């Protein structure tokens, strides 16, 4: 039914070593945080000087971002998630994408309309979220120009983020602050900053790598990458963001290419910036659904998951299972320590004799998101890859 | 020493004066004026297309204008190296135009320099005596100087050029892109001054 393939450690180390020789990473032999079979958490690993947060030897100062330990902070979680690269190496890998701080302007006052009234094509990508019965969709055609939307849902302040170069859409609980685009990239990935404390957060890692909240993990929520039509079918009362962003852009035109059909940057096997680590295990732009835990990371090939419906793999000794949601064409990742019996049942699943929806299996769900393979591998070369 | 300090402004003044002679001589001629206007409008349009403010219409056949709520607040906000926020969106049937006043002003300035180079090059080729230019110093080479600015456009996360040709960017390359426009300005101005060296101060004005 499935095959689990931990990415070869020697190849990962070799790739990072090669990058180090090219001057991209400072300390190749220290760049990959070793998997901890015993499951020791990040706080223990953080004391190791050679990898992971906290570390503060290479400062990443960006003109226009002020660090303020007393500023409003975004909501962070108690436990940091796995990182394969040392913080210093991530800082050294940061480079300007061209625009300066807020040169790509976040949308701070988004406007919405009922999705039923939207004239956006049914096949256009959107990133959806549901909280307390309220459903919202954020169109890729708006996010590609802004990358960040500071919004609210069900009365909670949230930030919706999208990085076009890595194909990642992630949601965060922003607390009383808002997020902006720093203009810097790491591993082709959006480097965000929170406007309260000035901490820098690589989107995919969601962990502070510079500033007062160094080593802290953002509180994250799942955004579903799907299409307007599929989201509307599932949540007919949903709202969708409009082009009324307060800025003028050629919404509908994607400077990188297109998703319907796939073209340009989204299709080619070339990347615009050198990844932190490289692998030929999959097409660089193929999509994986990736999840991280404090001790490791796992990714499943999205296309394969949608075909197979169920895939499983391990992080260390812990078993994880991914199930597809055929309706939304997405997938969810669950911690499955006891190897539950799961079978497809229509669009849902039969779990221990009970039919449930893909997003609500009676297991602990791990936050997961879509990502281009090259970007996921660049950040998590030691992750399990299921294809 | 005192001689040097008085001579330097004189050199600049002499060059400016000769450049002025060349330009006036060029623009006095009809073909010189046409070359200038063609260069000005042509380069401006190409520059706006290069920075992706001017493009084929997303909704062909649509005509309309959208202006931001607070144009003054946005007009001076930088979106990239020498690029600024658009404050209005014009849908002009077959093309879309994002009007960013500061970017447009930069584009016009560049276009004026390119047009001056083009007009002088054209007239000095057709009738070098008209503006007292040494034919060997025609500024056609200066037109090449206009290219770097066209490559400097960035969208979102990277230079347009790299997206098109698929070259992988490095930190050094990204830094270079930030200097392309100033380099173009220096080359264009330098080209005009070089031409002015060959202008006869006795040329009819």
């Amino acid at each position: 039914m499935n095959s689990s393939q931990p990415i070869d450690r020697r190849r990962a180390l070799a790739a990072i070593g090669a990058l180090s020789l090219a001057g991209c990473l400072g300390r190749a032999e220290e760049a990959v945080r070793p998997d901890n079979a015993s499951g020791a958490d990040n706080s223990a690993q953080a004391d190791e000087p050679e990898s992971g947060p906290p570390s503060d030897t290479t400062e990443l100062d960006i003109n226009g971002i002020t660090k303020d330990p007393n500023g409003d902070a975004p909501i962070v979680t108690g436990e940091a998630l796995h990182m394969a690269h040392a913080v210093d190496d991530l800082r050294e890998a940061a480079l300007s994408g061209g625009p300066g701080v807020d040169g790509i302007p976040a949308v701070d006052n988004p406007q919405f309309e009922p999705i039923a009234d939207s004239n956006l094509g049914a096949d256009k990508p959107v990133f959806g979220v549901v909280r307390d019965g309220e459903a919202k969709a954020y169109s890729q055609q708006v996010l590609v120009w802004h990358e960040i939307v500071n919004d609210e849902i069900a009365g909670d302040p949230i930030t919706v983020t999208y990085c076009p170069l890595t194909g990642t859409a992630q949601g965060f609980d922003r607390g009383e602050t808002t997020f902006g685009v720093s203009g810097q990239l790491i591993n082709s990935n959006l480097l965000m900053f929170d406007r309260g404390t000035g901490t820098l957060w690589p989107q995919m890692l969601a962990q502070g790598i510079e500033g007062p909240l160094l080593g802290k993990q953002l509180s994250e929520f799942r955004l579903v990458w799907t299409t307007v039509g599929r989201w509307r079918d599932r949540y007919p009362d949903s709202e969708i963001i409009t082009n009324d962003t307060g800025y003028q852009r050629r919404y509908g035109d994607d400077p990188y290419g297109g998703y319907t059909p796939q073209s340009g940057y989204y299709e080619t096997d070339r990347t615009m910036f050198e990844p932190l680590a490289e692998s030929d295990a999959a097409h660089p732009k193929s999509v994986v659904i990736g999840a991280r835990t404090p001790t490791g990371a796992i990714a499943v090939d999205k296309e394969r998951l949608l075909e197979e419906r169920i895939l499983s793999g391990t992080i260390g000794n812990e078993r994880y299972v991914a199930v597809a949601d055929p309706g939304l064409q997405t997938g969810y990742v669950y911690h499955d320590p006891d190897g539950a019996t799961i079978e497809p049942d229509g669009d849902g699943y039969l779990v221990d004799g009970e039919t449930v929806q893909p997003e609500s299996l009676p297991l602990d769900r791990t936050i997961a998101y879509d990502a281009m393979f090259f970007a996921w591998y660049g950040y998590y070369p030691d992750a399990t890859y299921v294809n | 020493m005192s001689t040097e300090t008085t001579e330097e402004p004189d050199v600049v003044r002499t060059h400016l004066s000769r450049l002025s002679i060349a330009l006036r001589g060029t623009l006095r001629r009809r073909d010189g004026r046409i070359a200038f206007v063609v260069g000005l409008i042509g380069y401006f349009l190409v520059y706006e297309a290069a920075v992706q403010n001017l493009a084929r219409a997303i909704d062909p056949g649509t005509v309309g204008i959208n202006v931001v709520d607070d144009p003054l607040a946005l007009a001076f906000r930088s979106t990239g190296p020498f690029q600024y926020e658009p404050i209005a969106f014009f849908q002009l049937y077959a093309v879309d135009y994002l009007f960013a006043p500061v970017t447009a002003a930069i584009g016009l300035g560049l276009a004026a320099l390119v047009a001056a180079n083009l007009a002088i090059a054209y007239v000095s080729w057709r009738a070098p005596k008209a503006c007292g230019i040494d034919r060997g110093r025609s500024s056609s080479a200066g037109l090449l100087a206009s290219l770097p600015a066209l490559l400097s456009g960035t969208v979102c996360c990277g230079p347009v050029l790299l997206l098109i040709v698929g070259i992988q960017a490095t930190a050094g390359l990204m830094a270079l892109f930030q200097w392309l426009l100033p380099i173009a300005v220096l080359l264009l101005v330098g080209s005009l001054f070089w031409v002015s060296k060959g202008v006869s101060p006795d040329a009819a004005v």
Side-chain angles (χ1 to χ4, degrees):
Chain A
M1 182 175 66
N2 59 55
S3 64
S4 175
Q5 172 195 341
I7 288 169
D8 186 85
R9 283 189 61 76
R10 278 177 302 177
R11 281 171 57 201
L13 286 165
I16 292 171
L19 278 170
S20 175
L21 288 172
C24 289
L25 292 172
R27 294 170 298 163
E29 72 282 8
E30 298 166 354
V32 177
R33 170 181 289 182
D35 261 344
N36 195 324
S38 65
D41 68 21
N42 262 19
S43 58
Q45 294 184 356
D47 293 330
E48 298 170 14
E50 71 277 15
S51 67
S55 170
D56 209 7
T57 56
T58 313
E59 216 168 316
L60 179 57
D61 264 331
I62 299 175
N63 198 16
I65 297 177
T66 308
K67 292 166 191 164
D68 178 7
N70 300 315
D72 288 331
I75 297 174
V76 295
T77 59
E79 200 168 25
L81 297 178
H82 173 71
M83 287 218 300
H85 299 281
V87 169
D88 285 346
D89 295 333
L90 294 171
R91 290 170 176 166
E92 282 178 21
L95 56 80
S96 168
V101 172
D102 282 328
I104 297 170
V107 180
D108 292 329
N109 187 23
Q111 304 296 310
F112 292 85
E113 63 181 351
I115 198 165
D117 297 346
S118 174
N119 57 11
L120 200 56
D123 58 349
K124 297 295 180 190
V126 292
F127 316 123
V129 56
V130 182
R131 186 175 288 189
D132 295 341
E134 185 176 345
K136 280 186 164 184
Y138 302 82
S139 64
Q140 188 263 352
Q141 77 160 26
V142 168
L143 267 291
V144 76
W145 292 106
H146 296 283
E147 302 192 1
I148 290 177
V149 176
N150 292 302
D151 192 18
E152 287 185 358
I153 187 167
D156 297 332
I158 61 165
T159 292
V160 169
T161 66
Y162 167 63
C163 178
L165 293 185
T166 53
T168 42
Q170 292 166 255
F172 303 103
D173 294 299
R174 64 181 168 87
E176 295 304 309
T177 188
T178 55
F179 282 84
V181 180
S182 74
Q184 302 272 316
L185 300 165
I186 297 176
N187 191 42
S188 295
N189 185 228
L190 159 67
L191 182 61
M192 319 180 292
F193 71 101
D194 74 77
R195 294 183 174 128
T197 70
T199 301
L200 296 171
W201 311 85
Q203 181 213 25
M204 288 176 67
L205 302 177
Q207 194 170 130
I209 63 157
E210 175 75 58
L213 299 177
L214 172 68
K216 300 292 184 189
Q217 192 74 41
L218 285 174
S219 170
E220 213 170 326
F221 62 85
R222 174 67 191 268
L223 277 178
V224 173
W225 182 315
T226 182
T227 63
V228 171
R230 290 178 183 280
W231 189 257
R232 186 167 46 211
D233 289 347
R234 179 74 60 89
Y235 302 104
D237 295 329
S238 173
E239 292 193 310
I240 186 168
I241 194 169
T242 70
N243 295 348
D244 184 11
T245 60
Y247 298 91
Q248 294 297 343
R249 292 291 186 275
R250 297 179 66 245
Y251 297 114
D253 177 49
D254 186 327
Y256 304 100
Y259 274 104
T260 50
Q262 216 152 11
S263 63
Y265 175 84
Y266 306 126
E267 182 190 36
T268 176
D269 59 3
R270 292 190 297 259
T271 59
M272 192 182 269
F273 301 93
E274 191 173 24
L276 287 171
E278 289 181 82
S279 163
D280 56 5
H283 188 288
K285 305 293 174 54
S286 64
V287 179
V288 299
I289 294 178
R292 309 90 87 214
T293 72
T295 57
I298 186 170
V300 300
D301 182 82
K302 186 175 181 179
E303 198 178 324
R304 185 77 188 273
L305 176 65
L306 293 173
E307 283 168 13
E308 300 281 339
R309 296 286 304 269
I310 302 169
L311 293 174
S312 64
T314 57
I315 298 176
N317 295 327
E318 297 293 317
R319 185 174 189 271
Y320 286 80
V321 63
V323 297
D325 181 336
L328 291 177
Q329 290 283 289
T330 189
Y332 300 94
V333 177
Y334 293 89
H335 186 204
D336 182 25
D338 302 322
T341 304
I342 304 169
E343 290 173 19
D345 182 16
D347 275 1
Y349 292 87
L350 203 59
V351 184
D352 295 334
E354 189 186 345
T355 300
V356 291
Q357 293 308 302
E359 72 275 16
S360 52
L361 266 58
L363 298 167
D364 284 339
R365 208 170 90 190
T366 306
I367 297 285
Y369 56 82
D370 290 28
M372 292 175 185
F373 174 79
F374 87 89
W376 180 265
Y377 186 86
Y379 272 138
Y380 302 108
D382 55 352
T384 302
Y385 176 49
V386 186
N387 63 0
Chain B
M1 249 175 84
S2 60
T3 315
E4 278 181 20
T5 51
T6 53
E7 268 183 3
E8 278 177 12
D10 284 347
V11 170
V12 174
R13 242 195 313 269
T14 303
H15 278 304
L16 283 174
S17 165
R18 289 178 176 181
L19 185 57
S20 168
I21 291 168
L23 273 174
R24 277 183 289 165
T26 299
L27 296 178
R28 189 174 296 120
R29 291 172 55 95
R30 188 166 177 274
D31 56 356
R33 286 196 298 274
I34 290 173
F36 185 87
V37 171
V38 167
L40 185 76
I41 295 174
Y43 189 84
F44 177 74
L45 293 178
V46 171
Y47 181 78
E48 288 283 23
V51 298
Q52 303 221 323
N53 280 351
L54 182 66
R56 204 170 51 184
I58 297 170
D59 296 319
T62 308
V63 176
I65 302 173
N66 265 305
V67 182
V68 295
D69 290 339
D70 191 355
L72 275 179
L74 285 186
F76 297 96
R77 270 183 63 166
S78 171
T79 59
F82 305 102
Q83 289 182 46
Y84 293 82
E85 272 294 341
I87 60 165
F89 180 46
F90 295 86
Q91 290 175 289
L92 305 168
Y93 200 78
V95 295
D96 291 339
Y97 178 53
L98 283 166
F99 174 55
V102 180
T103 307
I106 290 170
L108 269 180
L110 277 167
L113 287 171
V114 172
N117 273 280
L118 176 69
I120 290 175
Y122 181 73
V123 171
S124 67
W125 171 64
R126 289 288 303 269
K129 285 183 182 171
C131 47
I133 298 172
D134 171 7
R135 197 175 220 167
R137 284 187 181 273
S138 113
S139 64
S140 53
L143 297 178
L144 290 176
S146 65
L147 291 178
L150 297 180
L151 308 179
S152 66
T154 59
V155 284
C156 297
C157 291
V160 179
L161 179 71
L162 298 189
L163 272 172
I164 293 168
V165 299
I167 297 173
Q168 207 165 57
T170 61
L173 199 54
M174 293 305 292
L176 174 68
F177 268 90
Q178 305 199 0
W179 286 100
L180 285 178
L181 194 138
I183 287 170
V185 171
L186 280 176
L187 291 175
L188 286 166
V189 171
S191 162
L192 286 175
F193 272 91
W194 184 73
V195 170
S196 73
K197 272 188 160 182
V199 173
S200 162
D202 302 326
V205 178

